[in-house]
Amino acid sequence: MITPAFDLDTATPAGLEAWLVERVGEYLPDLTEPIDTDRELGEYGLDSIAVVAFAADVEERLGIALDPTAIWDYPTVAQLAKHLTAELGERRPQAA
């Protein structure tokens, strides 16, 4: 299993979304406009090579496996953040 780079108990959907926006921006250095969390990432020119690298970043940061196709299945930052939040919630230990 991949070890997360931050405490998942302190992660919030808004914090995750902000981090995703920051990471997407790293792959779009020529982008001059803010990333709209409801706009499809493909519209920004994020290509398949960048998507694979981006998925690896998410895996490393969150400590979960993420198939790069999930980024096309959840094509906006908002949709991806919601999906990842659900995935993380499933992996958190349940209170007894």
Side-chain angles (χ1 to χ4, degrees):
M1 178 167 184
I2 303 166
T3 304
F6 71 108
D7 182 357
L8 296 178
D9 291 333
T10 61
T12 62
L16 179 56
E17 197 171 279
W19 180 79
L20 291 170
V21 165
E22 179 184 317
R23 291 307 309 147
V24 168
E26 292 293 319
Y27 291 100
L28 301 169
D30 297 330
L31 188 67
T32 58
E33 62 189 278
I35 294 171
D36 180 343
T37 60
D38 294 314
R39 184 173 169 193
E40 292 195 9
L41 296 173
E43 292 179 26
Y44 289 108
L46 199 64
D47 62 22
S48 58
I49 293 170
V51 165
V52 170
F54 176 60
D57 290 347
V58 171
E59 287 183 341
E60 182 179 327
R61 179 70 176 203
L62 301 181
I64 61 173
L66 179 67
D67 189 315
T69 60
I71 296 165
W72 301 128
D73 294 339
Y74 305 95
T76 69
V77 168
Q79 290 173 343
L80 183 59
K82 184 176 179 180
H83 168 70
L84 293 172
T85 299
E87 288 287 313
L88 291 170
E90 290 176 9
R91 286 166 173 71
R92 288 189 180 141
Q94 299 297 315

